[in-house]
Amino acid sequence: MANMGNTSQQLAARLREVFLDGRWIANTNYREQLEGLTREQALQKIGPLNSIALLIYHIDYYLVGLLKVFEGGPLDIRDQYSFDMPPIHSEAEWQQRMGDFLRHAEAFARCVERFPEHQWAAPFVDPKYGDYLRNVEGVIEHAYYHLGQVVLLKKMVVQ
């Protein structure tokens, strides 16, 4: 990541890459994988595996929760609720959720991009959660982990 600017810019670029427009690591991104995906395809279950819709909800849950902290709010998300997806009743509702997810990803990237360089080593809410840098790197790694699942599930449901 040398010569790419400061830490904030580098991390924002990596977030945009996994969520919005990159192809370097996985040769795809969330926006590309979700394009044209219908509600029925997104909700389709393959055995015991999570659906694409549930994985998107899960990732978005963390994006929204961390975005709130970066905007000065409390950390009020809990792992135990990260898969508690409300039902998706219509195609329009699915399209709205996908749009919200991508908007949250861009909003988080913008917050990270503006984050003061000297704050990256500061404790994230509580020292037990590590620092801000570790948490953003965790978001990126977690996003790639589930992106791989989304890619495989999409291959199984879109034929």
Side-chain angles (χ1 to χ4, degrees):
M1 286 207 267
N3 301 323
M4 272 189 58
N6 64 30
T7 303
S8 301
Q9 292 166 338
Q10 290 174 34
L11 290 170
R14 291 185 63 209
L15 287 162
R16 287 185 179 106
E17 181 165 357
V18 67
F19 288 113
L20 304 168
D21 58 19
R23 299 191 57 101
W24 185 54
I25 300 294
N27 200 33
T28 192
N29 57 70
Y30 279 92
R31 182 190 315 267
E32 187 175 287
Q33 289 302 306
L34 294 175
E35 191 172 291
L37 196 68
T38 67
R39 172 185 168 269
E40 290 74 22
Q41 291 165 332
L43 290 172
Q44 186 174 335
K45 289 277 293 162
I46 307 287
L49 305 176
N50 292 318
S51 70
I52 293 171
L54 186 57
L55 291 172
I56 297 305
Y57 174 83
H58 174 71
I59 293 292
D60 195 44
Y61 178 83
Y62 287 106
L63 280 176
V64 170
L66 286 145
L67 183 58
K68 185 183 283 187
V69 173
F70 271 77
E71 292 174 337
L75 178 64
D76 57 8
I77 55 174
R78 301 291 175 264
D79 292 345
Q80 69 194 50
Y81 303 121
S82 68
F83 283 102
D84 291 353
M85 180 181 78
I88 301 172
H89 300 290
S90 68
E91 184 65 32
E93 194 174 330
W94 167 241
Q95 295 299 321
Q96 179 68 45
R97 291 221 193 150
M98 281 193 302
D100 289 347
F101 168 67
L102 296 172
R103 279 187 292 283
H104 296 149
E106 177 54 40
F108 188 63
R110 275 194 312 273
C111 269
V112 166
E113 196 166 46
R114 293 189 306 256
F115 198 71
E117 280 298 303
H118 67 277
Q119 287 288 108
W120 285 113
F124 184 81
V125 180
D126 184 309
K128 70 181 178 185
Y129 297 125
D131 58 26
Y132 277 86
L133 179 60
R134 181 172 188 258
N135 277 270
V136 173
E137 288 175 336
V139 168
I140 294 165
E141 292 167 12
H142 187 227
Y144 274 115
Y145 170 75
H146 287 303
L147 177 59
Q149 294 174 332
V150 168
V151 169
L152 290 173
L153 287 167
K154 184 176 178 185
K155 288 179 182 196
M156 291 187 248
V157 301
V158 177
Q159 299 180 28

